[in-house]
Structure formats: C-alpha cells, structure tokens
Amino acid sequence: MPTPVPEKSAETAVTGDDAAHVTNKGYRQPEVDVAALRTLLDGRYAEVRDLVRDNLAEHAQILLDEEEMSTADFRERVKDVVVMMAETGQTGMGFPEEYGGGGDIGASIAAFETLAMGDLSVLVKVGVQFGLFGGAILQLGTKVHHDAYLADLVSGRTMGCFAMTESGHGSNVQALGTVAAYDTATEEFVITTPDDASRKDYIGNAAAHAELAAVFAQLEVDGERHGVHAFVVPIREGGRVVDGVRIEDCGPKMGLNGVDNGRIWFDGVRVPRTALLNQFAEVTPEGRYLSPIDNPNKRFFTMLGTLVQGRVCVGGAGINAAKVALTIATRYAVRRRQFEATSPDEEQVLLDYGMHQRRLLPLIARTYALHFAQEVVAGQLHDVFSGPGPTEEGGDEHGRRMLESRAAATKALGTWHATRTIQECREACGGAGYISENRFTALKADTDVFTTFEGDNHVLLQLVAKGLLTDYAGEFEDMDQLGMARFVAGLAVETVVERTSVHKLVQSVRDLLPGGDTWDQEAGLLDPNYQLAMLRFREEHMIGGVARRLKRGIDQGMNPGAVFSRVQDHVIAAARAHAERLVLEAFVAKAAALPDGDLKVAVNLLCDLHALSTIEADRAWFMEHGRLSSARSKAISREVGSLCRKVRPLAVDLVNAFGVPEEMLRSPELLTWTETGPA
C-alpha cells in the first residue's frame, strides 16, 4: 500500500494580513527568499557549485571567443580553459586524493552539472578528459594504471580520449569490430581496425589533443574471442600521431566546435600486455584468459556499469542548460511589452499573457522536478561508487542495477527536456532569441547531441523497460534489440502482471483517497497521493500491457525479434511512464520534507503545476483507460491555468534561484529591456 503523503497546505501554511498578497479563497501569495531557495537547490555541494560559478565568470570571455575565433583557435582556447580549471581542482573532485583529486564523487557530479551553465564545449571537453577517459582508467584499471596515468590526467598534463563508438556499431557496443589480439611471443596486444565500419568515430579529443586513448576492442587469444575490453593505447607522442595510427578530423558539427572530434584507425598497433585495463579480466604472460566474472554477458555489463557516471552527468548537464534558457526567457518576459491588451495607455508585459505563462511556467516547474530527481540519482551514484566494487566482498550488485536503470531514465528525460525547453525559450524571445549574443544559438546547437551521446535516449529506455519487465531480478544481458528479443521468448508474463499489481494499486488508492471506486474522480487535484497514484497506475498498467503483448506474440509462434519490434513503442512508453513517476516522487518527497512557510508554499505550487501538467499532457491515455472523465480533464486544465497565475508573480525569483552567473546570461538587449526599448 502506498505510504500516505502529508497533505500540502498552500492555502494555510502562510498566515498574516498583508492584503497585497491575499487573493481569493484565502490563498496568500508567498514571498520567495531567493537565497534560501538557491541553498535548497544547491544542496550539500553549495561550495563546489559556487567555485564553478566563480570560474565560469572568470572565463566568461570564452562565450564571445566561440563566435569570433576560427575552429582551430577555439579548440586551443577551450583546451587552455580546461587545463586552467583543472588547476583549481574542480575537474578532478571524483578522483582519489593520492592522485590530486578530491575523493568525492558527489562533488564531481555537482561541479560538472554547474559547468553546464557556461560554454558547453568546455563542459564536453571536461567530460571527455576527466569523466570518460579518466573514468575508464579509474574504474576499469588497477593500481598499476592509476599510478601510471591518474596524476597526469587529473592535472591536465596528459590529454586522453575515450575510443568506444564505431561508425558501424553505434550503441551496440558488444558488436564492436576493433580487435586486440594477444601475441604470446612478445607479450603484446595487437590493435587492429579490420574495416571502415570498425573505425572509431566521433571521438572527442582525438582530432587534435589526445596523447592516449582508452580503446574498446574485442579481446582475442589464440583465435578465441573473450568479448569487449578496454586498453590504454598511445596515439600521439610529442604532438605527432604515432606509427600505425591514422586520425581524421570529423569536421564542422552542429555545435560543440571547440571539441576536436575525430576518427581513429589502428593498423597493427602493439601495446604491452599491461595496457589491458584489468579490473575485470586478465591475460597471463603465457596467454591464459582469467576473469572473476565467468558469465561473459554479466562481465560486459558489469564493465559498462562502472562507467555510468558519464550518463548521470550528461542528464544533469541538460537540466542545467535548460536553467540558463529559462532564466533568460523569463527575465525577458517581465520586461518586454507587447500590445495594449488590458490598458489603453500601456502595453502589457509578455508574462502577463496566459499563453506565455503556459509556455514557460510549466517548464520551470518541470526543471525543478528534474533537478530533484537528478539529486536522487547523483546521491545513489555517490553511495554506490563510494562502497565496495562489483567484484569485491560487500559489493551492492542490486544497488548498481537500480542505479543503472535510474540513471538511464533520468538522462533520457533530462536531455529531452533541455532540447524542448531551449527551443520554447528561444521562440518566447521572438527575433531577439535568434541573435547569437543572446545565447540560444549555442545552447540549441551544443545541447542537441545530449539526447544521443552517453546512450541514445530510446535505447536507454529499452534498458529501463527490460529492468521493469524482469522486476530487476535478473542480470542485464544484451541491451540491444536482439537481446531483448531473446529475453521475450522466456518472459513469465504472469509474474510480471502480478508484480505490477495494477488492481492491488487501485484498491490501495481507494483506501488512501476519498471516493471509493471513484477515487480518481473525487480526490483533490492538489492531493499528492492522487497525483502519484495517477502516474503509478499509468506505469503499472503499461508494464503489464507490454508483458501480455510480448507473451501473446510468442505464444502465436511469431519470431521474438518481430514481436519486440511490433511492441517497441509500447516498451518505450512504459519506461517513460516509469521515469515520470520517479521524477514526481522525488519532487513530492522534497516538498514534503520542507518546514512550513513561504518556501514550502512556493515549492508546492511548482510541484502541483508539474504533476497536473504531466497528467494533462497525457490526458488521452488516462481517458482511454477510464481514469479521467472529460469533466475531470477540464478541471485539471483549469487548475493548471490557475497555478500558472499563482506562480507568475514568483517567476523571476524562481529562475534567479538557479544561480546562473550573470556573465553566463549575456543577452544585454533581452535582460535590460525597458518600456521604451533596450536600455
């Protein structure tokens, strides 16, 4: 039975007789303490976030450099800024202290998220160097690799890249074509690119700066393949590409042109046996393959699971980029006037129009919701990776699986939100939003790839769905479509339907909310238990429906791959419904934990706006499945409009609490607009 959530008290939590803030039905408009709200958002790592904000302000010139410099010069500028930031310690917070790091994984995530408020080429260069390349050395290597590389990469003295993706294999990492064959006679691995489909592609840092690469390749001993493993491979010495390596620049991109993406081919490049990052596998000098994890699929996904930090960071970066766009668009909307709508003498500010409120304010609410959901997943990452490793005694395998699923779900929602929000904010600023100086050019172009790197969002949601269908009880096997199809053939649909327990959920909601059989028609719209129950019902109904459809196809003798392909849209929808429920739960929990007062009232307004906007956006599904009448649907839309009007006076304070440095906003014409035009 769901745990009852304390009733919100938006109408009663604030007392007093300040008539200027009192509206109908006893509701009193709260006053937002921006500093207190920012403290709430910054959480336990407020000092870390402020350090990054100060560094962003110090290097604000880079936003102009991106527009004025040549690509080659801007790449060098970005590299210099990254190295300077490394000297402050903000980029190495997740590495062990003995190698110059901060020994705090949670701090490193907070720093990276905040860095997304600035130039995103710098952000991605930091992610490649310290998150991907550094993370591979730290998580997949052992002490010999840590001693050899970590101090230099943490300080920025040695630049590296993460050579996983290939032109022909994309998200299907298990099918990578690059081969690392062991030569027993010389005790070396021979790295080879067998064809152009197996070339490493889109590799950040490769085209100009990387000296080392963490190369993912099929490990082969005496003709026998042991799956994908990672190797440290030199690709430059003294700035010159080494023999046997060919590198090609990927050329101009939609955005992030301060990052030197390149393609890499290997032609029999030899590296010593110790180049294998051997946390999960070893090859002895005489050529014996050893691993503490016997199952090759489990070994592969355990290895990939250690790299989940990048996925968590990208989701957080998308959310923070959305904060920049919303800060600019909201502050513009309370300055820019358009048409004499309510007065013959004065034009009305944009944010006083109901449609403008509908465009921006639910996005602010959703940004807060995703911020708190990201806080949960970042905390889980810190806890899991601060404990024993996956092959060590006391390692939390279940916790790691939970983390991988939640990270995938939050990353997908966070990056899709960034794309949608930045576009809406650009449009909300009219023609002014199209001027590069006003930041939307870079925000749109640079974040667009977030939806596909560190895992294509649809592929990630398939991973989430598989975890739901197995009730998190089995190992992650193959996360590609073929692997999903194999899994489908053995799916115990009765177990899935029983686990999801839609009917049990409905009964427990009846007990929790007023209305009995008509709980979803008579419960208060602003009751968090009602809001959560609606999203839980959708999620569990969808999961059970997917299971039944998959099983039905198998029972009819259809090819498992064809069955999965046929219901793939349903699979993705179920995973997305699960992710939406997690986000709302995080928001409701954060709001419920606040002490009574104006801050809680403001946060509850946003929570209600987010919850009801989410239900409204999928009203067709709820109506199709008998959980929303037409009258109730209309009532929700009216309530969303009412909530927008209540949030409107707080809007500027709500976005200012994001703490985006003024230097990162630029947009002088948008942010200094007065009644007579630009100041």
Side-chain angles (χ1 to χ4, degrees), residues 125-143:
K125 189 91 167 175
V126 166
V128 168
Q129 170 71 10
F130 305 100
L132 295 177
F133 174 64
I137 301 294
L138 178 64
Q139 299 295 341
L140 302 181
T142 51
K143 190 174 188 304

Side-chain angles (χ1 to χ4, degrees), residues 553-631:
I554 297 299
D555 289 345
Q556 292 172 355
M558 293 179 62
N559 177 277
V563 174
F564 177 75
S565 181
R566 179 172 294 187
V567 304
Q568 196 171 16
D569 60 333
H570 198 161
V571 168
I572 298 298
R576 192 161 188 166
H578 170 72
E580 292 280 9
R581 190 260 299 171
L582 292 178
V583 170
L584 182 58
E585 280 189 344
F587 203 170
V588 168
K590 178 63 71 169
L594 293 173
D596 287 346
D598 281 30
L599 185 61
K600 182 167 188 169
V601 174
V603 172
N604 273 330
L605 286 173
L606 290 173
C607 189
D608 285 330
L609 180 55
H610 168 68
L612 295 185
S613 296
T614 300
I615 295 170
E616 182 189 46
D618 205 15
R619 69 170 86 194
W621 188 94
F622 288 107
M623 294 177 81
E624 286 176 353
H625 293 82
R627 296 270 71 90
L628 202 60
S629 67
S630 58

Side-chain angles (χ1 to χ4, degrees), residues 162-167 169-171 176 198-203:
F162 185 82
M164 176 184 280
T165 301
E166 294 179 357
S167 300
H169 301 100
S171 298
L176 293 179
S198 302
R199 71 186 182 187
K200 299 299 180 181
D201 212 346
Y202 322 121
I203 308 303

Side-chain angles (χ1 to χ4, degrees), residues 413-441:
L413 262 57
T415 54
W416 272 327
H417 174 69
T419 297
R420 173 193 171 197
T421 299
I422 292 166
Q423 177 63 26
E424 192 66 61
C425 289
R426 203 294 298 160
E427 293 183 26
C429 292
Y434 207 62
I435 305 301
S436 293
E437 184 179 32
N438 295 330
R439 284 225 62 189
F440 291 109
T441 300

